[in-house]
Amino acid sequence: MDFNATQPIYQQIIDDFRKRLIRGELQKGDRIPSQREYAEMARVNPNTVQRAYRGMENMEIVQTLRGQGTYICISPERLAQIKHEMAGGVLSYFIEEMKSLGYSGVDMVQLLQEKIKEDEI
């Protein structure tokens, strides 16, 4: 995993898991790597991974069973909520960037429609 300097690594780890859930790459009941395994794999400090896993537990994404590992435990309702939240973040970023380029809302919609039509071909 390649990390960028724009946000904390633990948050990038959480976001990666959330995206993998949304894409269906991870399912409820799947076991994820231990904190130590993930830290070695991603070449990050184990404390960073611990913070990410704790955050995902607080978000009701994973559950750690003592002596057994950490498993995906997300409900379909929570997954839909996360998907909606992440899409909102992407849209907010897009709108702010387009505003900074001088585009109006109407212009943005028109450009999006054109791009969607172009990419459907």
Side-chain angles (χ1 to χ4, degrees):
M1 185 171 173
D2 294 325
F3 299 104
N4 64 57
T6 60
Q7 71 181 136
I9 292 173
Y10 80 92
Q11 187 61 54
Q12 292 177 62
I13 292 169
I14 292 171
D15 287 347
D16 180 60
F17 273 97
R18 294 185 334 165
K19 288 176 185 175
R20 291 171 60 199
L21 283 163
I22 290 167
R23 290 191 301 259
E25 295 170 12
L26 291 173
Q27 303 286 325
K28 186 174 182 174
D30 287 352
R31 185 180 185 279
I32 63 172
S34 72
Q35 294 175 18
R36 179 173 280 128
E37 290 169 339
Y38 192 93
E40 289 174 10
M41 194 172 55
R43 297 187 187 135
V44 297
N45 187 306
N47 293 330
T48 301
V49 178
Q50 181 182 29
R51 186 171 182 187
Y53 277 38
R54 191 177 327 117
M56 290 190 294
E57 284 180 353
N58 292 337
M59 293 176 192
E60 300 175 353
I61 295 173
V62 299
Q63 178 181 26
T64 301
L65 303 174
R66 189 175 179 145
Q68 297 178 26
T70 303
Y71 296 86
I72 301 295
C73 70
I74 195 164
S75 69
E77 297 81 17
R78 181 71 178 117
L79 182 59
Q81 182 183 18
I82 288 172
K83 185 175 182 177
H84 185 76
E85 289 170 2
M86 291 190 81
V90 170
L91 288 171
S92 293
Y93 176 78
F94 169 78
I95 291 167
E96 287 305 312
E97 288 296 309
M98 293 301 283
K99 281 182 183 178
S100 74
L101 295 173
Y103 285 94
S104 69
V106 171
D107 293 337
M108 287 181 225
V109 170
Q110 182 179 355
L111 283 171
L112 275 172
Q113 288 173 334
E114 290 170 6
K115 184 65 176 162
I116 290 168
K117 188 173 183 180
E118 178 184 307
D119 288 353
E120 287 178 349
I121 295 174

